[in-house]
Amino acid sequence: MVSTHAGSAQPHPPIGALLREWRTIRRMSQLDLALEAGISARHLSYVETGKARASRDLIGRLADVFAMPLRERNALLLAGGYAPQYQENALAAPALERMRQAIELIIAHQEPYPAFVIDRQWNVLMANAAAMRVNRLLMDGRESRHANLLHQVFDPDDFRSVIVNWPEVAEKFIRHVHEQLAAVPTDRTLQDLLADVLAYRDVPAHWRFRDLQGMPAPVLTLVFRSRLGELRFFETITTFSMPRDVTLDELRIECAFPADDHTAAVCAGLAASA
């Protein structure tokens, strides 16, 4: 499969507009950004107004100050008139074969407990057999209506219907999305996804804002109802260290572990009867 570059097929805004947008979200003045990047405020002003062209090195330093993910770094380079620095390969591409094998190894070793892989927009890309078995149990053999984890959690006709502590779980997910958007405020797709899931019925209005009430628990237990009794899981998240590919930068592997002996026994029984 041929590698592609993020944003290469989309028109990009002027670099000045992007810099002003990121400065606004990060609450930085031109002087603040200039000092952090090691340049004069006057030169930064010229870059933002188009009177001067930023070098690749300067763009890299500005991206470092903003703590931009790889996709946004590529977008900033494109806006500055340069080729993107980071490739974006499909997970099935030969270039990511070793990394894909590592992912497959992790989720296979998670058996008999669920594990799945999601991207930045919460799409489920891979899942192990345990995840499929537990899902069939929870949904009484029905398939999920969505391939997106947020929609699964918020749609009353999907997994939301079997989550015992849904308000607590849903608020945890919404808090995570708000944190993502705070880190990457230019992600229009994620903004649209947040609007879509908040539009489901009986979603509290205050979840539309980042300042949610209270503090989250250190570790959240997800409680599901099933014909074999309640199942309780907690989750860990694995990401790649220092990725140099946009796809890898945006992937996370979520592994569910049983929070009690009953859940562990049910998962083991499902595996034995598979």
Side-chain angles (χ1 to χ4, degrees):
M1 183 173 295
V2 178
S3 299
T4 60
H5 291 295
S8 59
Q10 298 292 333
H12 48 270
I15 189 171
L18 280 180
L19 291 176
R20 287 190 294 272
E21 182 174 19
W22 278 88
R23 279 201 301 104
T24 299
I25 296 298
R26 293 290 191 259
R27 298 181 179 180
M28 300 181 74
S29 66
Q30 276 190 346
L31 180 59
D32 293 332
L33 179 57
L35 289 173
E36 290 288 336
I39 61 172
S40 70
R42 181 179 183 182
H43 183 49
L44 177 60
S45 175
Y46 281 2
V47 170
E48 289 195 0
T49 58
K51 294 180 180 179
R53 186 186 186 194
S55 65
R56 286 184 69 95
D57 176 70
L58 175 56
I59 291 175
R61 281 185 280 150
L62 294 171
D64 287 341
V65 173
F66 290 135
M68 285 180 164
L70 302 191
R71 183 180 298 278
E72 281 63 40
R73 289 172 182 266
N74 278 349
L76 196 63
L77 283 166
L78 282 167
Y82 299 99
Q85 181 177 358
Y86 303 99
Q87 290 187 337
E88 181 179 1
N89 292 283
L91 190 54
L96 300 186
E97 180 180 4
R98 288 293 186 182
M99 283 63 73
R100 186 176 65 256
Q101 289 174 352
I103 294 171
E104 292 170 348
L105 183 66
I106 291 172
I107 64 176
H109 276 260
Q110 184 62 13
E111 290 282 349
Y113 310 126
F116 47 94
V117 182
I118 60 177
D119 63 16
R120 190 167 79 176
Q121 274 77 42
W122 298 75
N123 298 306
V124 180
L125 306 181
M126 299 171 62
N128 66 358
M132 306 303 292
R133 293 192 298 267
V134 171
N135 287 359
R136 285 193 294 268
L137 170 65
L138 296 178
M139 300 295 287
D140 289 326
R142 293 182 290 121
E143 294 292 330
S144 173
R145 292 162 54 93
H146 307 282
N148 183 278
L149 186 58
L150 283 182
H151 280 290
Q152 291 175 359
V153 170
F154 278 81
D155 187 344
D157 296 321
D158 210 297
F159 282 102
R160 173 175 170 176
S161 62
V162 298
I163 302 176
V164 176
N165 58 336
W166 181 82
E168 185 182 11
V169 170
E171 183 170 355
K172 172 244 186 182
F173 279 88
I174 288 296
R175 188 183 298 275
H176 192 161
V177 176
H178 279 298
E179 290 172 353
Q180 283 182 273
L181 285 172
V184 189
T186 56
D187 192 333
R188 311 304 180 201
T189 301
L190 192 58
Q191 291 174 5
D192 292 342
L193 176 60
L194 176 61
D196 288 343
V197 298
L198 289 174
Y200 284 114
R201 68 173 182 264
D202 299 326
V203 175
H206 71 269
W207 286 2
R208 288 163 173 77
F209 307 99
R210 188 184 178 196
D211 294 329
L212 302 180
Q213 298 176 354
M215 290 295 293
V219 176
L220 176 66
T221 299
L222 292 85
V223 185
F224 301 94
R225 64 176 60 89
S226 79
R227 57 181 174 79
L228 298 181
E230 287 190 353
L231 302 182
R232 298 172 177 268
F233 295 96
F234 64 91
E235 294 182 334
T236 64
I237 295 176
T238 301
T239 59
F240 281 91
S241 175
M242 296 182 288
R244 306 286 291 176
D245 180 276
V246 173
T247 297
L248 297 180
D249 189 43
E250 297 178 350
L251 286 184
R252 63 183 190 268
I253 307 166
E254 300 206 1
C255 294
F257 292 86
D260 56 32
D261 292 340
H262 172 71
T263 302
V266 169
C267 288
L270 292 174
S273 61

